[in-house]
């Protein structure tokens, strides 16, 4: 196919073919090197799609830019899904969990960008099934509250309070969020069932036998010597994730 | 309204007359715990997006303090979407009876959109102060629950005066 010229249906077809091919490699037992090859192919296609997206932006075609962003997010979701399997086999379980959440969140953004996606619901259901089967399940997560000020718009880089873009909406192939706010103070840290960021998980916890255990592997990690008398238990967890998904 | 949604309505002292008058022609956004007296005020971090959203839908809005780069904003990392607190004056309901209905509908649609594809249905929280048409009574409406139940808030608003 001509690298410099393509219609959206042609690009959508390239996406469908690539993700169908990827699906063959989206399971634990596939060879990691072959999975990495698939990731590389998807990365190349994503580069091509982003090129067309910037072309659509230059041409002043916002609907096309949003559809291409939808495809870009779909590709990122599939890439994250493959990365999750590779990380699982490396024993890097928390990074694998993050990759799974990345995939889920990319699908959520893709749906907001455009409704044209084929197979999005099936893929999202697959991710949810994998989450239930592969990981131990989290009943609670950590969640922080902050007092913040200012910040910029991720779409136009103007001060967030001055532009017309609304948080969570896709404009011109980009997701609008508030970036770089000043954190004035941490207001609270809580444990919640429904956090905004499901990467903020418990990683180690005490189990009543005087040890901390890794929440994923359940292996003993260290003696619980820091427990104060009268404390029911203690845990180690992430309270804030500062890494951004690709939203541009 | 779903079973896990709840609305609490409490009679409170009416706000100062000048503030109620400021809210006479627009929905007035206020700090989270307003009208409690506090040295430091904080708005919900959703305030600037909601103001932009309502303005784009031609709903008249204003805020008690300027919403700018210095405004302190409460940013919670739970999945609950916390609406910025606002004041609805009785005069606004008399002059522009559809403004609140449109605002609630626009906000509910927006929250539904931004949580598409999420693992769980979002829960929302609203805190609304409403004054009576004569400004002598006020109530605090607190809603916590599903997005679909947001429209129930309208049923609890104090009646407006008939416009001559």
């Amino acid at each position: 196919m001509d690298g410099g010229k393509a219609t959206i249906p042609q690009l959508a077809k390239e996406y469908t073919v690539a993700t169908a091919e990827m699906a063959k490699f989206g399971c634990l037992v596939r060879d990691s090197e072959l999975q990495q090859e698939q990731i590389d192919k998807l990365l190349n296609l994503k580069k091509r799609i982003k090129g067309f997206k910037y072309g659509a932006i230059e041409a002043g075609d916002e609907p096309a830019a949003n559809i291409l962003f939808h495809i870009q997010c779909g590709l990122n979701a599939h890439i994250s899904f493959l990365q999750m399997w590779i990380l699982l086999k490396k024993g890097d379980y928390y990074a694998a969990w993050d990759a799974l959440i990345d995939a889920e969140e990319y699908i959520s953004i893709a749906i907001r960008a455009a409704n044209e996606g084929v197979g999005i619901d099936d893929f999202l259901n697959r991710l949810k099934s994998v989450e239930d089967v592969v990981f131990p399940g989290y009943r609670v997560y950590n969640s922080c509250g902050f007092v913040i000020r200012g910040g910029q718009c991720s779409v136009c880089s103007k001060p967030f309070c001055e532009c017309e873009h609304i948080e969570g909406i896709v404009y011109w192939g980009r997701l609008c969020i508030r970036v770089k706010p000043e954190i004035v103070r941490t207001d609270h840290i809580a444990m919640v069932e429904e956090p905004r960021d499901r990467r903020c998980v418990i990683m180690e916890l005490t189990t009543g036998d005087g040890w901390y255990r890794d929440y994923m592997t359940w292996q003993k990690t260290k003696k619980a010597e820091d427990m104060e008398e009268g404390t029911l238990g203690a845990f180690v967890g992430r309270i804030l994730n500062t890494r951004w998904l690709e939203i541009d | 309204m779903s079973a896990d949604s709840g609305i609490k309505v409490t009679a409170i002292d009416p706000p100062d007359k000048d503030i109620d008058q400021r809210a006479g022609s627009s929905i007035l956004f206020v700090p989270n715990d307003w009208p409690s007296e506090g040295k430091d005020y904080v708005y919900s971090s959703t305030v600037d997006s909601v103001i932009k959203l309502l303005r784009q839908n031609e709903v008249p809005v204003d805020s008690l303090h300027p919403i700018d780069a210095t405004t302190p904003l409460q940013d919670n990392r739970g999945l609950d979407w916390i609406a910025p607190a606002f004041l609805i004056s009785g005069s606004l309901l008399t002059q522009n009876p559809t403004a609140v209905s449109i605002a609630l509908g626009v906000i509910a649609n927006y929250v539904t959109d931004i949580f598409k594809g999420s693992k769980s249905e979002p829960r929302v929280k609203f805190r609304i102060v409403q004054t009576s048409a004569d400004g002598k009574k006020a109530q605090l409406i607190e809603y916590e629950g599903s997005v679909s139940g947001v429209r129930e808030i309208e049923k609890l608003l104090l009646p407006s005066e008939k416009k001559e």
Side-chain angles (χ1 to χ4, degrees), chain A residues 146 160 164-165 167 196, chain B residues 52 56 75-77 110:
Chain A
F146 298 99
F160 193 73
E164 77 276 20
H165 302 115
E167 192 154 29
R196 192 188 307 172
Chain B
K52 294 174 197 179
Q56 286 169 20
D75 183 26
N76 288 344
R77 299 290 170 124
Y110 164 65

Side-chain angles (χ1 to χ4, degrees), chain A residues 85-104:
Chain A
W85 294 115
I86 295 172
L87 289 162
L88 279 172
K89 284 180 278 185
K90 283 183 182 168
D92 196 347
Y93 301 125
Y94 290 96
W97 171 259
D98 290 348
L100 176 71
I101 303 302
D102 287 354
E104 289 182 2

